[in-house]
Amino acid sequence: SSGINAEWPLRPGTQIPGVNFICLDVANGYSEHFVEFVKKVRDTYPGKTIIAGNVVTGEMVEELILAGADLVKVGIGPGSVCTTRKKTGVGYPQLSAVLECADAAHGLGGHIIADGGCTCPGDVAKAFGAGADFVMAGGMFAGHDEGDGEIVEKDGQKFIKFYGMSSATAMQKHVGGVANYRTSEGKTVLIPYKGAIDGTIQDILGGVRSCCTYVGAVKLKELPKRTTFVRTTRQINEVYGTSSINKTD
C-alpha cells in the first residue's frame, strides 16, 4: 500500500516478490497528480493488480480505470471513525456512490471496493446488492484480537483503541502530528473488547448468505440483478431498544 509521495513504486526494475496487489491509497482521489501516478505505476508494474482510491463518482471511477487501475475504492466520509463530512462538508451518500460507481466500473471491465459505512451484516449485503465487488469494513472488525490494537482497561472493563487514519492519533503516530495548515478528519474511540473475530465473521457471512436466499441469488455476483432498493424512514423495529441477551443479535 502506498500514497502518492512514495518513490519506490516508480523505481525502474523494482521487484516486489510475492506481492500481486498494489494499493494506491489517498483520502482524495480527485487530482490530476493522482491519475498520473496511477498511470506511472501501471507502466512500471504491468502484471500487478492495482487498487486506487478513494472517489465517489462514476466519472472519476472511469478515469482511474482508464489510467490503469483494476479496482477503485469508493467512499468519502462514511467510515465510523471518519469526520471528513463534519470537518469539510465533503462527502457522498455511500449507497448512492456504490450504485453509480459500480455501474461505471463494470461498463469498462473494472471493479469497485465499497469502503466504509457498514454497521451490521445487512449493510454488507446491501453493498453487494448495489454492485460492489468487494466490501471493506473497519469498525465492524475493530475490537478483536486479530486487530492487534492497544488494550485499555477502564472501570474493570477491557477496551481496544480504534482510530481513523486521518485522526490526530494516527498523524501523531506516523508523521509526528497534525500539520499546522490542516485539521484532523478522524476520531479516536474505545471499542469494547470482543475477543476472537470468528463470531463476527460468521455473523456477516451468515447474513449475506441469508440475503441471497431471500432474493433468489444463487451466487454473490447475482445479488445486484436480484436487488431492488426502496427508500424508508425506518427499517428496524426497535420497540425493545438495543437490549439483547445475545451480543450478536
Side-chain angles (χ1 to χ4, degrees):
S1 182
S2 170
I4 58 176
N5 294 320
E7 297 179 0
W8 69 264
L10 305 182
R11 289 176 188 154
T14 301
Q15 300 296 319
I16 341 175
V19 174
N20 297 318
F21 295 83
I22 298 175
C23 180
L24 304 178
D25 190 10
V26 297
N28 175 12
Y30 290 86
S31 72
E32 291 182 17
H33 183 53
F34 183 56
V35 175
E36 289 303 315
F37 192 79
V38 172
K39 289 179 181 177
K40 291 176 182 177
V41 175
R42 169 52 69 209
D43 291 339
T44 307
Y45 302 101
K48 303 292 185 182
T49 299
I50 296 177
I51 304 167
N54 283 34
V55 299
V56 289
T57 52
E59 294 86 353
M60 201 63 211
V61 166
E62 291 173 346
E63 189 164 352
L64 289 172
I65 290 174
L66 293 173
D70 299 291
L71 301 100
V72 177
K73 288 205 294 120
V74 174
I76 293 180
S80 58
V81 285
C82 177
T83 59
T84 294
R85 294 176 182 174
K86 181 178 180 179
K87 293 294 184 72
T88 72
V90 175
Y92 205 93
Q94 184 67 355
L95 181 60
S96 297
V98 172
L99 283 163
E100 296 169 20
C101 292
D103 188 52
H106 298 159
L108 292 175
H111 302 81
I112 70 162
I113 301 173
D115 179 9
C118 291
T119 63
C120 59
D123 290 338
V124 177
K126 289 171 188 174
F128 283 123
D133 302 285
F134 301 89
V135 179
M136 287 178 63
M140 292 182 71
F141 292 136
H144 296 92
D145 293 329
E146 291 77 2
D148 200 28
E150 177 187 347
I151 296 179
V152 177
E153 289 200 25
K154 188 176 181 180
D155 298 328
Q157 186 177 355
K158 286 185 177 181
F159 296 87
I160 288 186
K161 186 181 289 186
F162 178 49
Y163 55 87
M165 289 309 294
S166 286
S167 66
T169 301
M171 286 189 275
Q172 183 64 48
K173 182 176 181 179
H174 298 290
V175 295
V178 182
N180 60 10
Y181 62 86
R182 62 168 301 180
T183 183
S184 70
E185 294 176 31
K187 54 189 173 183
T188 302
V189 298
L190 293 178
I191 303 289
Y193 174 67
K194 303 174 186 176
I197 202 169
D198 303 61
T200 298
I201 294 289
Q202 178 59 38
D203 193 37
I204 294 172
L205 293 179
V208 173
R209 291 188 186 108
S210 188
C211 172
C212 288
T213 65
Y214 271 108
V215 302
V218 176
K219 56 184 70 173
L220 203 56
K221 67 184 300 182
E222 284 186 12
L223 258 183
K225 298 177 182 177
R226 305 283 185 265
T227 300
T228 300
F229 289 99
V230 180
R231 180 178 296 178
T232 69
T233 57
R234 184 178 184 181
Q235 67 170 343
I236 300 172
N237 185 340
E238 294 184 327
V239 64
Y240 294 116
T242 57
S243 60
S244 174
I245 295 176
N246 300 311
K247 293 183 180 179
T248 58
D249 288 351

